[in-house]
């Protein structure tokens, strides 16, 4: 292995218009800059979906990507959302700090619109669900049930059976929350696409 140099810069630190850095044009521009600068490595922090406190070291899943890093301009280009959907929202105005409350309140609204307009990706999305079912079903169900329980810790959920992942409870919530489960699966499709 040859020696090389690199830079540690997390995705969230890239300059973007909608509250946080993403895997969009700024990420590609930074990678190009590293190459022109003779760098070999770009180290980032973990990119899993964060929970309360937004620590990259406490993700909900080892597989699920952080929805904050989905580039919204790409969703506009793909006609899943319109610029007016994102331009009217307050993403914060501090270029040095992320306003995670605004990000949380607005990012999921925009991703819900993309989910509503998902029809052109239905075949790719179905394939993604089939190929990633070994983790995606449980993750998406967990997120849907968490949302139903006002984003509380799973330890505070009223239904003990779903907390313990009992098969009857899993089946019940998969049916009851099928649209929400599909929505969280679609977010992961967008992250990995």
């Amino acid at each position: 292995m040859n020696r090389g140099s690199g830079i540690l810069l997390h995705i969230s630190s890239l300059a973007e218009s909608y509250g946080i850095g993403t895997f969009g044009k700024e990420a590609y521009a930074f990678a190009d800059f590293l190459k022109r600068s003779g760098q070999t490595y770009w180290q980032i922090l973990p990119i899993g979906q964060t929970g309360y406190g937004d620590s990259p070291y406490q993700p909900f899943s080892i597989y699920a990507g952080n929805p904050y890093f989905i580039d919204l301009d790409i969703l506009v280009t793909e006609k899943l959302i319109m610029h007016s959907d994102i331009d009217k929202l307050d993403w914060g105005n501090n270029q040095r700090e992320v306003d995670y409350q605004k990000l949380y309140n607005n990012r999921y609204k925009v991703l819900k619109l993309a989910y509503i307009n998902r029809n052109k990706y239905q075949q790719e999305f179905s394939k993604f669900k089939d190929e990633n079912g070994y983790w995606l079903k449980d993750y998406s169900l967990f997120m849907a049930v968490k949302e139903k329980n006002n984003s509380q810790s799973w330890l505070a959920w009223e239904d003990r059976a779903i907390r313990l992942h009992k098969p009857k409870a899993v089946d019940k919530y998969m049916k009851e929350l099928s649209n929400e489960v599909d929505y969280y699966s679609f977010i992961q499709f967008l992250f990995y696409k």
Side-chain angles (χ1 to χ4, degrees), residues 33-65:
F33 163 76
L34 291 175
K35 183 174 182 173
R36 287 191 312 273
S37 302
Q39 301 297 316
T40 307
Y41 304 105
W42 176 6
Q43 182 179 351
I44 60 174
L45 301 178
I47 57 174
Q49 181 168 5
T50 57
Y52 182 78
D54 290 294
S55 169
Y57 298 103
Q58 292 182 316
F60 288 128
S61 165
I62 62 169
Y63 299 105

Side-chain angles (χ1 to χ4, degrees), residues 42 48 71 105 174 190:
W42 176 6
D71 186 78
N105 290 337
M174 276 294 211
L190 291 177

Side-chain angles (χ1 to χ4, degrees), residues 148-166:
K148 179 181 173 54
N149 283 276
N150 299 315
S151 296
Q152 293 182 67
S153 165
W154 67 275
L155 296 169
W157 296 352
E158 191 172 312
D159 187 340
R160 186 172 190 273
I162 195 63
R163 286 195 329 249
L164 298 176
H165 205 258
K166 298 285 186 183

Side-chain angles (χ1 to χ4, degrees), residues 37-191:
S37 302
Q39 301 297 316
T40 307
Y41 304 105
W42 176 6
Q43 182 179 351
I44 60 174
L45 301 178
I47 57 174
Q49 181 168 5
T50 57
Y52 182 78
D54 290 294
S55 169
Y57 298 103
Q58 292 182 316
F60 288 128
S61 165
I62 62 169
Y63 299 105
N66 193 327
Y68 294 163
F69 301 148
I70 297 170
D71 186 78
L72 300 182
D73 287 325
I74 291 173
L75 300 184
V76 169
T77 301
E78 294 176 349
K79 297 185 177 15
L80 288 168
I81 58 173
M82 296 184 298
H83 261 295
S84 59
D85 296 327
I86 51 180
D87 290 340
K88 66 184 177 187
L89 299 171
D90 180 5
W91 299 99
N93 55 11
N94 187 334
Q95 291 293 318
R96 300 184 70 107
E97 295 179 12
V98 174
D99 187 329
Y100 283 100
Q101 185 65 46
K102 288 178 180 176
L103 192 62
Y104 178 81
N105 290 337
N106 293 322
R107 182 64 58 136
Y108 289 99
K109 287 178 191 174
V110 171
L111 294 174
K112 186 73 86 168
L113 293 173
Y115 173 68
I116 291 167
N117 297 315
R118 71 192 179 280
N119 287 343
K120 76 177 194 172
Y121 288 110
Q122 201 57 47
Q123 189 173 358
E124 286 176 71
F125 179 39
S126 292
K127 183 179 177 189
F128 176 80
K129 287 192 293 187
D130 290 343
E131 291 174 350
N132 294 280
Y134 64 95
W135 68 270
L136 188 63
K137 285 172 110 174
D138 283 336
Y139 161 78
S140 298
L141 175 63
F142 172 81
M143 294 304 295
V145 175
K146 184 171 180 58
E147 180 182 327
K148 179 181 173 54
N149 283 276
N150 299 315
S151 296
Q152 293 182 67
S153 165
W154 67 275
L155 296 169
W157 296 352
E158 191 172 312
D159 187 340
R160 186 172 190 273
I162 195 63
R163 286 195 329 249
L164 298 176
H165 205 258
K166 298 285 186 183
K168 283 185 183 178
V170 169
D171 290 343
K172 172 190 166 190
Y173 285 101
M174 276 294 211
K175 288 178 186 140
E176 182 182 317
L177 302 174
S178 63
N179 193 55
E180 291 82 1
V181 169
D182 203 48
Y183 162 65
Y184 283 105
S185 295
F186 188 72
I187 290 174
Q188 292 307 305
F189 166 74
L190 291 177
F191 181 85

